[in-house]
Amino acid sequence: NGTGWYDVESLKKSMPVSYDLLLIDGPNSGARPKLIEHVGLFDWSKPVIIDDMHEGWLEGPARVLADTVIKRPYKILDGSTKKKFMVIP
């Protein structure tokens, strides 16, 4: 939508009514931390996986999200090929 993040109206229209897990893996640019501006779009009571934690710029915003929005403990785990991801059960 020109901001580097997703079109919020399209997200609202396409979000499923119910889901069991929230997987955050995008956008591919440094705009992913803009998710903080749109936390009301998602059900944070579900388990959350945040991919690409090996990217240095993402770890800080992901920790803020876990600590201040989701408010549950998290782990950063090593995946394959030196990649990391955050799990918030």
Side-chain angles (χ1 to χ4, degrees), residues 4 7-8 10 15-17 21 24-25 31 33 35-37 43 47-48 59-60 63 67 72 75 78 82-83 88:
D7 181 287
V8 175
S10 292
M15 287 288 291
V17 176
L21 171 83
I24 301 171
D25 186 20
L35 173 67
I36 297 285
E37 298 171 21
D43 180 359
V48 179
E59 188 170 335
R63 288 179 188 268
D67 291 337
R72 292 196 308 272
K75 291 184 180 181
D78 291 325
K82 298 182 182 180
K83 295 191 175 200
I88 308 165

PDB file of all heavy atoms in Angstrom, residues 4 7-8 10 15-17 21 24-25 31 33 35-37 43 47-48 59-60 63 67 72 75 78 82-83 88:
ATOM      1  N   GLY A   4       5.002   0.011   2.775  1.00  0.00           N
ATOM      2  CA  GLY A   4       5.864  -1.130   3.021  1.00  0.00           C
ATOM      3  C   GLY A   4       5.184  -2.198   3.846  1.00  0.00           C
ATOM      4  O   GLY A   4       5.735  -3.265   4.060  1.00  0.00           O
ATOM      5  N   ASP A   7      -1.987  -3.873   3.084  1.00  0.00           N
ATOM      6  CA  ASP A   7      -3.188  -3.069   3.007  1.00  0.00           C
ATOM      7  C   ASP A   7      -4.135  -3.546   4.114  1.00  0.00           C
ATOM      8  O   ASP A   7      -4.618  -4.679   4.078  1.00  0.00           O
ATOM      9  CB  ASP A   7      -3.834  -3.228   1.629  1.00  0.00           C
ATOM     10  CG  ASP A   7      -5.081  -2.397   1.494  1.00  0.00           C
ATOM     11  OD1 ASP A   7      -6.099  -2.772   2.105  1.00  0.00           O
ATOM     12  OD2 ASP A   7      -5.030  -1.389   0.783  1.00  0.00           O
ATOM     13  N   VAL A   8      -4.388  -2.694   5.088  1.00  0.00           N
ATOM     14  CA  VAL A   8      -5.161  -3.077   6.265  1.00  0.00           C
ATOM     15  C   VAL A   8      -6.592  -3.476   5.895  1.00  0.00           C
ATOM     16  O   VAL A   8      -7.128  -4.441   6.432  1.00  0.00           O
ATOM     17  CB  VAL A   8      -5.147  -1.945   7.313  1.00  0.00           C
ATOM     18  CG1 VAL A   8      -6.041  -2.274   8.499  1.00  0.00           C
ATOM     19  CG2 VAL A   8      -3.723  -1.690   7.785  1.00  0.00           C
ATOM     20  N   SER A  10      -7.660  -4.824   3.130  1.00  0.00           N
ATOM     21  CA  SER A  10      -7.608  -6.161   2.522  1.00  0.00           C
ATOM     22  C   SER A  10      -7.419  -7.237   3.584  1.00  0.00           C
ATOM     23  O   SER A  10      -8.022  -8.309   3.516  1.00  0.00           O
ATOM     24  CB  SER A  10      -6.474  -6.252   1.506  1.00  0.00           C
ATOM     25  OG  SER A  10      -6.739  -5.449   0.395  1.00  0.00           O
ATOM     26  N   MET A  15      -9.125 -11.964   6.572  1.00  0.00           N
ATOM     27  CA  MET A  15      -8.774 -12.695   7.792  1.00  0.00           C
ATOM     28  C   MET A  15      -9.832 -13.751   8.096  1.00  0.00           C
ATOM     29  O   MET A  15     -11.029 -13.467   8.034  1.00  0.00           O
ATOM     30  CB  MET A  15      -8.681 -11.741   8.991  1.00  0.00           C
ATOM     31  CG  MET A  15      -7.465 -10.857   8.998  1.00  0.00           C
ATOM     32  SD  MET A  15      -5.942 -11.729   9.374  1.00  0.00           S
ATOM     33  CE  MET A  15      -6.198 -12.125  11.065  1.00  0.00           C
ATOM     34  N   PRO A  16      -9.411 -14.962   8.428  1.00  0.00           N
ATOM     35  CA  PRO A  16     -10.393 -15.964   8.827  1.00  0.00           C
ATOM     36  C   PRO A  16     -11.052 -15.565  10.150  1.00  0.00           C
ATOM     37  O   PRO A  16     -10.455 -14.847  10.952  1.00  0.00           O
ATOM     38  CB  PRO A  16      -9.562 -17.239   8.993  1.00  0.00           C
ATOM     39  CG  PRO A  16      -8.161 -16.796   9.097  1.00  0.00           C
ATOM     40  CD  PRO A  16      -8.052 -15.447   8.463  1.00  0.00           C
ATOM     41  N   VAL A  17     -12.266 -16.030  10.360  1.00  0.00           N
ATOM     42  CA  VAL A  17     -12.981 -15.719  11.593  1.00  0.00           C
ATOM     43  C   VAL A  17     -12.280 -16.358  12.786  1.00  0.00           C
ATOM     44  O   VAL A  17     -12.208 -15.784  13.861  1.00  0.00           O
ATOM     45  CB  VAL A  17     -14.445 -16.204  11.497  1.00  0.00           C
ATOM     46  CG1 VAL A  17     -15.175 -15.989  12.808  1.00  0.00           C
ATOM     47  CG2 VAL A  17     -15.155 -15.502  10.358  1.00  0.00           C
ATOM     48  N   LEU A  21      -3.390 -20.676  15.189  1.00  0.00           N
ATOM     49  CA  LEU A  21      -1.998 -20.253  15.294  1.00  0.00           C
ATOM     50  C   LEU A  21      -1.808 -19.013  14.442  1.00  0.00           C
ATOM     51  O   LEU A  21      -2.406 -18.895  13.374  1.00  0.00           O
ATOM     52  CB  LEU A  21      -1.081 -21.372  14.768  1.00  0.00           C
ATOM     53  CG  LEU A  21       0.392 -21.036  14.611  1.00  0.00           C
ATOM     54  CD1 LEU A  21       1.093 -21.203  15.956  1.00  0.00           C
ATOM     55  CD2 LEU A  21       1.036 -21.938  13.571  1.00  0.00           C
ATOM     56  N   ILE A  24       3.779 -15.206  11.794  1.00  0.00           N
ATOM     57  CA  ILE A  24       4.174 -13.902  11.256  1.00  0.00           C
ATOM     58  C   ILE A  24       5.453 -14.110  10.450  1.00  0.00           C
ATOM     59  O   ILE A  24       6.500 -14.439  10.995  1.00  0.00           O
ATOM     60  CB  ILE A  24       4.385 -12.882  12.387  1.00  0.00           C
ATOM     61  CG1 ILE A  24       3.092 -12.726  13.190  1.00  0.00           C
ATOM     62  CG2 ILE A  24       4.856 -11.550  11.818  1.00  0.00           C
ATOM     63  CD1 ILE A  24       3.230 -11.929  14.449  1.00  0.00           C
ATOM     64  N   ASP A  25       5.336 -13.907   9.149  1.00  0.00           N
ATOM     65  CA  ASP A  25       6.462 -14.130   8.249  1.00  0.00           C
ATOM     66  C   ASP A  25       6.365 -13.146   7.089  1.00  0.00           C
ATOM     67  O   ASP A  25       6.211 -13.516   5.942  1.00  0.00           O
ATOM     68  CB  ASP A  25       6.446 -15.571   7.730  1.00  0.00           C
ATOM     69  CG  ASP A  25       7.684 -15.897   6.916  1.00  0.00           C
ATOM     70  OD1 ASP A  25       8.695 -15.176   7.056  1.00  0.00           O
ATOM     71  OD2 ASP A  25       7.644 -16.851   6.137  1.00  0.00           O
ATOM     72  N   ALA A  31       9.709  -3.423   7.181  1.00  0.00           N
ATOM     73  CA  ALA A  31       8.439  -2.859   7.626  1.00  0.00           C
ATOM     74  C   ALA A  31       7.690  -3.779   8.583  1.00  0.00           C
ATOM     75  O   ALA A  31       6.657  -3.392   9.118  1.00  0.00           O
ATOM     76  CB  ALA A  31       7.556  -2.533   6.431  1.00  0.00           C
ATOM     77  N   PRO A  33       8.051  -4.542  11.677  1.00  0.00           N
ATOM     78  CA  PRO A  33       7.714  -3.951  12.978  1.00  0.00           C
ATOM     79  C   PRO A  33       6.472  -3.057  12.968  1.00  0.00           C
ATOM     80  O   PRO A  33       5.913  -2.768  14.019  1.00  0.00           O
ATOM     81  CB  PRO A  33       8.969  -3.152  13.338  1.00  0.00           C
ATOM     82  CG  PRO A  33      10.069  -3.890  12.660  1.00  0.00           C
ATOM     83  CD  PRO A  33       9.458  -4.333  11.344  1.00  0.00           C
ATOM     84  N   LEU A  35       3.755  -3.975  12.406  1.00  0.00           N
ATOM     85  CA  LEU A  35       2.711  -4.812  12.969  1.00  0.00           C
ATOM     86  C   LEU A  35       2.212  -4.232  14.290  1.00  0.00           C
ATOM     87  O   LEU A  35       1.023  -4.296  14.595  1.00  0.00           O
ATOM     88  CB  LEU A  35       3.250  -6.232  13.183  1.00  0.00           C
ATOM     89  CG  LEU A  35       2.352  -7.214  13.921  1.00  0.00           C
ATOM     90  CD1 LEU A  35       1.122  -7.527  13.087  1.00  0.00           C
ATOM     91  CD2 LEU A  35       3.120  -8.471  14.241  1.00  0.00           C
ATOM     92  N   ILE A  36       3.098  -3.635  15.056  1.00  0.00           N
ATOM     93  CA  ILE A  36       2.741  -3.024  16.344  1.00  0.00           C
ATOM     94  C   ILE A  36       1.615  -2.006  16.165  1.00  0.00           C
ATOM     95  O   ILE A  36       0.768  -1.861  17.034  1.00  0.00           O
ATOM     96  CB  ILE A  36       3.983  -2.356  16.986  1.00  0.00           C
ATOM     97  CG1 ILE A  36       5.065  -3.389  17.297  1.00  0.00           C
ATOM     98  CG2 ILE A  36       3.613  -1.554  18.213  1.00  0.00           C
ATOM     99  CD1 ILE A  36       4.812  -4.268  18.486  1.00  0.00           C
ATOM    100  N   GLU A  37       1.579  -1.334  15.032  1.00  0.00           N
ATOM    101  CA  GLU A  37       0.543  -0.329  14.775  1.00  0.00           C
ATOM    102  C   GLU A  37      -0.815  -0.964  14.491  1.00  0.00           C
ATOM    103  O   GLU A  37      -1.825  -0.264  14.477  1.00  0.00           O
ATOM    104  CB  GLU A  37       0.951   0.543  13.584  1.00  0.00           C
ATOM    105  CG  GLU A  37       2.227   1.317  13.798  1.00  0.00           C
ATOM    106  CD  GLU A  37       2.721   1.992  12.533  1.00  0.00           C
ATOM    107  OE1 GLU A  37       1.919   2.207  11.597  1.00  0.00           O
ATOM    108  OE2 GLU A  37       3.929   2.303  12.477  1.00  0.00           O
ATOM    109  N   ASP A  43      -5.870 -12.034  16.874  1.00  0.00           N
ATOM    110  CA  ASP A  43      -6.226 -12.680  18.130  1.00  0.00           C
ATOM    111  C   ASP A  43      -4.943 -13.167  18.797  1.00  0.00           C
ATOM    112  O   ASP A  43      -4.404 -14.211  18.429  1.00  0.00           O
ATOM    113  CB  ASP A  43      -7.183 -13.845  17.854  1.00  0.00           C
ATOM    114  CG  ASP A  43      -7.604 -14.573  19.113  1.00  0.00           C
ATOM    115  OD1 ASP A  43      -7.143 -14.209  20.223  1.00  0.00           O
ATOM    116  OD2 ASP A  43      -8.402 -15.509  18.997  1.00  0.00           O
ATOM    117  N   PRO A  47      -1.404 -19.247  20.007  1.00  0.00           N
ATOM    118  CA  PRO A  47       0.054 -19.350  19.896  1.00  0.00           C
ATOM    119  C   PRO A  47       0.557 -18.528  18.702  1.00  0.00           C
ATOM    120  O   PRO A  47      -0.136 -18.405  17.691  1.00  0.00           O
ATOM    121  CB  PRO A  47       0.292 -20.839  19.664  1.00  0.00           C
ATOM    122  CG  PRO A  47      -0.934 -21.515  20.180  1.00  0.00           C
ATOM    123  CD  PRO A  47      -2.061 -20.545  19.940  1.00  0.00           C
ATOM    124  N   VAL A  48       1.754 -17.980  18.853  1.00  0.00           N
ATOM    125  CA  VAL A  48       2.329 -17.110  17.821  1.00  0.00           C
ATOM    126  C   VAL A  48       3.738 -17.606  17.481  1.00  0.00           C
ATOM    127  O   VAL A  48       4.515 -17.956  18.372  1.00  0.00           O
ATOM    128  CB  VAL A  48       2.408 -15.649  18.320  1.00  0.00           C
ATOM    129  CG1 VAL A  48       3.035 -14.746  17.264  1.00  0.00           C
ATOM    130  CG2 VAL A  48       1.038 -15.134  18.741  1.00  0.00           C
ATOM    131  N   GLU A  59      14.455  -8.554  16.167  1.00  0.00           N
ATOM    132  CA  GLU A  59      14.377  -9.096  17.525  1.00  0.00           C
ATOM    133  C   GLU A  59      13.803  -8.101  18.530  1.00  0.00           C
ATOM    134  O   GLU A  59      12.946  -8.455  19.333  1.00  0.00           O
ATOM    135  CB  GLU A  59      15.746  -9.579  17.995  1.00  0.00           C
ATOM    136  CG  GLU A  59      15.662 -10.323  19.303  1.00  0.00           C
ATOM    137  CD  GLU A  59      16.955 -11.017  19.682  1.00  0.00           C
ATOM    138  OE1 GLU A  59      17.764 -11.333  18.793  1.00  0.00           O
ATOM    139  OE2 GLU A  59      17.123 -11.233  20.890  1.00  0.00           O
ATOM    140  N   GLY A  60      14.217  -6.859  18.488  1.00  0.00           N
ATOM    141  CA  GLY A  60      13.707  -5.853  19.424  1.00  0.00           C
ATOM    142  C   GLY A  60      12.203  -5.665  19.322  1.00  0.00           C
ATOM    143  O   GLY A  60      11.486  -5.793  20.327  1.00  0.00           O
ATOM    144  N   ARG A  63      10.319  -8.742  20.631  1.00  0.00           N
ATOM    145  CA  ARG A  63      10.312  -8.817  22.101  1.00  0.00           C
ATOM    146  C   ARG A  63       9.307  -7.817  22.687  1.00  0.00           C
ATOM    147  O   ARG A  63       8.618  -8.126  23.653  1.00  0.00           O
ATOM    148  CB  ARG A  63      11.706  -8.568  22.654  1.00  0.00           C
ATOM    149  CG  ARG A  63      12.665  -9.711  22.418  1.00  0.00           C
ATOM    150  CD  ARG A  63      14.061  -9.387  22.965  1.00  0.00           C
ATOM    151  NE  ARG A  63      15.039 -10.358  22.591  1.00  0.00           N
ATOM    152  CZ  ARG A  63      15.357 -11.429  23.328  1.00  0.00           C
ATOM    153  NH1 ARG A  63      14.734 -11.661  24.464  1.00  0.00           N
ATOM    154  NH2 ARG A  63      16.295 -12.257  22.915  1.00  0.00           N
ATOM    155  N   ASP A  67       6.254  -8.927  25.033  1.00  0.00           N
ATOM    156  CA  ASP A  67       6.204  -8.418  26.400  1.00  0.00           C
ATOM    157  C   ASP A  67       5.022  -7.493  26.677  1.00  0.00           C
ATOM    158  O   ASP A  67       4.451  -7.521  27.764  1.00  0.00           O
ATOM    159  CB  ASP A  67       7.496  -7.665  26.736  1.00  0.00           C
ATOM    160  CG  ASP A  67       8.707  -8.584  26.829  1.00  0.00           C
ATOM    161  OD1 ASP A  67       8.524  -9.796  27.064  1.00  0.00           O
ATOM    162  OD2 ASP A  67       9.838  -8.081  26.685  1.00  0.00           O
ATOM    163  N   ARG A  72       3.052 -12.984  27.248  1.00  0.00           N
ATOM    164  CA  ARG A  72       3.336 -14.370  27.593  1.00  0.00           C
ATOM    165  C   ARG A  72       4.819 -14.630  27.370  1.00  0.00           C
ATOM    166  O   ARG A  72       5.459 -13.957  26.561  1.00  0.00           O
ATOM    167  CB  ARG A  72       2.513 -15.333  26.718  1.00  0.00           C
ATOM    168  CG  ARG A  72       1.023 -15.278  26.996  1.00  0.00           C
ATOM    169  CD  ARG A  72       0.274 -16.477  26.420  1.00  0.00           C
ATOM    170  NE  ARG A  72       0.503 -16.756  25.019  1.00  0.00           N
ATOM    171  CZ  ARG A  72      -0.181 -16.221  24.008  1.00  0.00           C
ATOM    172  NH1 ARG A  72      -1.134 -15.337  24.231  1.00  0.00           N
ATOM    173  NH2 ARG A  72       0.088 -16.566  22.757  1.00  0.00           N
ATOM    174  N   LYS A  75      10.235 -18.005  23.537  1.00  0.00           N
ATOM    175  CA  LYS A  75      11.557 -18.588  23.321  1.00  0.00           C
ATOM    176  C   LYS A  75      11.985 -18.256  21.908  1.00  0.00           C
ATOM    177  O   LYS A  75      11.172 -18.256  20.986  1.00  0.00           O
ATOM    178  CB  LYS A  75      11.531 -20.107  23.487  1.00  0.00           C
ATOM    179  CG  LYS A  75      11.300 -20.562  24.900  1.00  0.00           C
ATOM    180  CD  LYS A  75      11.380 -22.065  24.985  1.00  0.00           C
ATOM    181  CE  LYS A  75      11.150 -22.484  26.422  1.00  0.00           C
ATOM    182  NZ  LYS A  75      11.235 -23.918  26.594  1.00  0.00           N
ATOM    183  N   ASP A  78      16.567 -21.956  17.413  1.00  0.00           N
ATOM    184  CA  ASP A  78      17.352 -22.097  16.189  1.00  0.00           C
ATOM    185  C   ASP A  78      16.638 -23.037  15.237  1.00  0.00           C
ATOM    186  O   ASP A  78      16.215 -24.122  15.624  1.00  0.00           O
ATOM    187  CB  ASP A  78      18.737 -22.671  16.491  1.00  0.00           C
ATOM    188  CG  ASP A  78      19.603 -21.699  17.256  1.00  0.00           C
ATOM    189  OD1 ASP A  78      19.493 -20.487  17.001  1.00  0.00           O
ATOM    190  OD2 ASP A  78      20.373 -22.145  18.127  1.00  0.00           O
ATOM    191  N   LYS A  82      21.059 -21.714  10.258  1.00  0.00           N
ATOM    192  CA  LYS A  82      21.357 -20.517  11.051  1.00  0.00           C
ATOM    193  C   LYS A  82      20.190 -19.533  11.141  1.00  0.00           C
ATOM    194  O   LYS A  82      20.381 -18.370  11.444  1.00  0.00           O
ATOM    195  CB  LYS A  82      22.605 -19.812  10.538  1.00  0.00           C
ATOM    196  CG  LYS A  82      23.850 -20.664  10.618  1.00  0.00           C
ATOM    197  CD  LYS A  82      25.059 -19.900  10.154  1.00  0.00           C
ATOM    198  CE  LYS A  82      26.271 -20.807  10.213  1.00  0.00           C
ATOM    199  NZ  LYS A  82      27.483 -20.159   9.775  1.00  0.00           N
ATOM    200  N   LYS A  83      18.992 -19.978  10.871  1.00  0.00           N
ATOM    201  CA  LYS A  83      17.823 -19.129  11.007  1.00  0.00           C
ATOM    202  C   LYS A  83      17.210 -19.338  12.371  1.00  0.00           C
ATOM    203  O   LYS A  83      17.359 -20.388  12.985  1.00  0.00           O
ATOM    204  CB  LYS A  83      16.805 -19.409   9.902  1.00  0.00           C
ATOM    205  CG  LYS A  83      17.356 -19.042   8.539  1.00  0.00           C
ATOM    206  CD  LYS A  83      16.271 -19.062   7.520  1.00  0.00           C
ATOM    207  CE  LYS A  83      16.843 -18.573   6.200  1.00  0.00           C
ATOM    208  NZ  LYS A  83      15.819 -18.133   5.303  1.00  0.00           N
ATOM    209  N   ILE A  88       5.763 -18.181  20.862  1.00  0.00           N
ATOM    210  CA  ILE A  88       5.021 -17.677  22.018  1.00  0.00           C
ATOM    211  C   ILE A  88       3.829 -18.611  22.187  1.00  0.00           C
ATOM    212  O   ILE A  88       2.827 -18.473  21.475  1.00  0.00           O
ATOM    213  CB  ILE A  88       4.568 -16.223  21.799  1.00  0.00           C
ATOM    214  CG1 ILE A  88       5.747 -15.346  21.390  1.00  0.00           C
ATOM    215  CG2 ILE A  88       3.893 -15.688  23.068  1.00  0.00           C
ATOM    216  CD1 ILE A  88       5.360 -14.000  20.820  1.00  0.00           C
TER     217      ILE A  88
END
